[in-house]
Amino acid sequence: MQQPTVVEEWNLNAAIAETLATGGGLSVVIPAYNEEAAIGDVVRGIVALLTPTGGEFEVIVVDDCSRDRTAELAAEAGARVIRQARNRGYG
C-alpha cells in the first residue's frame, strides 16, 4: 500500500499530477451545508481539472443535512453524495 504524501501548498499541483500519473487514485472530499449556489460549479471545476490527467479520481460531497438542493446539484455535477441524516456541524 502506498503511503500518503505530505506536500507543501506550493507543490500541490505537482503532487496531484504525480499521484495520478503513477496510477494512484485521488479522492476529493467536500463537506457542504446549504451550498446550492456554488456546489455544482465547484464539483464541475474539480472534474474539469482532473479529467485531462487520465488518472483515477472521485469527488465526494458530504452533505451535512442541507435544507436546499445541495445534494441534488452535487450529484448532477458528477459527485458521489453522502448525506448526513442530521446536521452535525462539520460535513
Side-chain angles (χ1 to χ4, degrees):
M1 178 181 276
Q2 238 180 359
Q3 293 296 318
T5 304
V6 177
V7 295
E8 299 289 329
E9 181 178 343
W10 60 269
N11 202 21
L12 185 58
N13 289 338
I16 291 170
E18 181 180 342
T19 297
L20 294 174
T22 58
L26 180 68
S27 296
V28 179
V29 181
I30 305 168
Y33 177 70
N34 292 339
E35 294 292 338
E36 74 177 4
I39 197 67
D41 287 340
V42 170
V43 171
R44 282 187 293 277
I46 293 168
V47 170
L49 178 70
L50 297 178
T51 297
T53 68
E56 185 178 334
F57 68 91
E58 65 181 340
V59 179
I60 301 168
V61 172
V62 180
D63 179 27
D64 199 14
C65 198
S66 294
R67 296 176 185 210
D68 63 6
R69 297 175 55 221
T70 296
E72 176 186 345
L73 296 174
E76 287 176 7
R80 185 175 77 147
V81 177
I82 298 170
R83 295 200 75 185
Q84 299 286 13
R86 65 179 177 85
N87 182 273
R88 296 172 182 245
Y90 51 78

